[in-house]
Amino acid sequence: MDYINRISELVEHKRDLFIEANDQIWAFAEPRFQEVKSAKLLAELLESQGFKTTWGIGGADTAFMSQWGEGKPVIGFLGEYDALSGLSQQADVAVHTPIEEGGQGHGCGHHTLGAGSAGAAVALKDYMTEAGLKGTVRFYGCPAEENAGGKAFMVRDGAFDGCDIAITWHTGTSTGLQPTGLLANFRVFYTFKGTSAHAAGAPHLGRSALDAVEIMNVGVNYMREHMISDARVHYAVTDTGGTAPNVVQSRAQVLYAIRAPKVTDVQELKRRIDNIARGAALITETEVEIKQVSAYTNYLANSVVGAEMQKYMEALHHTLTYTDEELVYLQKFKDATPEADIQNYKALAQQYLGLKGAELEAHMQKPISDVLFTRYPKGSGSTDVGDVSWVVPTAWCFVSCYSMGCTGHSWLETAQGKSSVTHKGMLYASKVMALTGLSFILDPTLVDKARIALLEELDGQVYKSPLPEGYKPEIW
Ligand SMILES: [Zn+2]
């Protein structure tokens, strides 16, 4: 299959461009909805390759779409570029040494995700130009995947209208195709207002908002026994109402993350948690304001797009090899990884690779997971790719870019984010994604098949934006 080699060559030909983008965005380390330099860099990269950009999609300044070509099919690559707070870290250093104490860092590899997807869009465009093929290539610049679900705003705004196929990836500690799964997730602020008073002099005049937060949390903790076992509910007290114990707290706030396998399960749990909050307000004679700030829908893997992606992951997997120097580098990070995380990976290898005994032990001696998972965990996190996957047939893969068992959302990932191993994983992903898109350009009947597979997966469900009506992206 000549086109596999040619796409690979096209990616390699411009590898420096994509690697440079990866490394620069790593250094920008901009958090959600503030990815000004990162988004601009990717848009300019794509414009230098003949793409045209539309900005401000979904009401977010750092969301954009760059497009090249004309007519059907329309292939969309999803890219991200938001960093995480508190994950600042020096590159290549295997002890925790932040560049800026408490600063931002790319501890989830979204800089690599964005640059890799841009690489796929450019390579597909280059191939179509050479071969004189018709169709449209889009790159979706998706901000704020973390803690805000930027894509949900873009989907609501119609950014994916007319898009036939969506393709994306994520850096990881193993390589495989993401199946249907992951959890729908809402973030909701509960803000209580009470009455301040001298806590000793006139306690009977006070109505404590902090009491309301505590009672609400107790109520939710009692609810846990009576919710579906796959649901996850977490909270963080974001405002305690002050640090003086001798003043009745007139304000307090708690942020909830409510997750479950289906968005309808989350909606139901939120209804119950809202009622618990109202109950806490009633008990304490305070008032509660309920504000949902993000929504992630559960992910639906498209079997037709996924089959194409799997084919190319297999075809190119032999190219993911590492030099002795890289293996030493990876071992250094594996040694710095908590044992519990290594054991967590071991359990996955056991369950999903079917390894046991000496074979499993030999695999666990490696400093990186270098095999292709043919079955892959459904996952218990959440992603806004979910929202896209309900409206466009979507495939999404993970690619090994870090040392074995490396903890997600950690400084260990930030540290490895500019390594040659990460670059290698990224270029592999670019090739796999460009080829996946090319399948649908070469055989447009696959587009209809993918659409039918999506309808089957939806099984009568219709996408309705889970965001509150009229709610706009904001930094909170
Ligand atoms: Zn991520």
Side-chain angles (χ1 to χ4, degrees), residues 415-452:
Q416 296 176 67
K418 291 200 293 181
S419 77
S420 61
V421 174
T422 293
H423 295 155
K424 228 172 242 188
M426 176 182 82
L427 297 173
Y428 168 80
S430 298
K431 293 167 194 171
V432 166
M433 289 191 291
L435 284 162
T436 306
L438 182 59
S439 278
F440 292 84
I441 301 278
L442 294 174
D443 180 7
T445 66
L446 281 176
V447 172
D448 295 334
K449 289 179 186 151
R451 179 60 58 181
I452 291 166

Side-chain angles (χ1 to χ4, degrees), residues 32-33 35 62 81-82 142-151 296 384:
R32 65 180 191 273
F33 292 135
E35 315 93 331
T62 51
Y81 29 77
D82 56 322
C142 308
E145 193 281 325
E146 300 286 356
N147 295 313
K151 293 183 196 69
Y296 300 70
D384 57 7

Side-chain angles (χ1 to χ4, degrees), residues 80 108-110 113 145-146 170 409:
E80 298 169 10
C108 197
H110 293 188
L113 201 173
E145 193 281 325
E146 300 286 356
H170 202 295
H409 287 200

Side-chain angles (χ1 to χ4, degrees), residues 2 51 65 99 115 208 211 230 258 293 340 409 411 430 445 456 473:
D2 261 4
F51 286 72
M65 182 182 73
I99 297 170
S208 171
D211 285 358
D230 287 336
I258 310 167
V293 291
H409 287 200
W411 63 265
S430 298
T445 66
E456 279 170 7

Side-chain angles (χ1 to χ4, degrees), residues 24 27 142 169 241 327 356 369 374 432 463:
Q24 281 199 41
C142 308
W169 78 296
L327 293 173
K356 51 187 177 209
S369 172
T374 48
V432 166
Y463 181 78

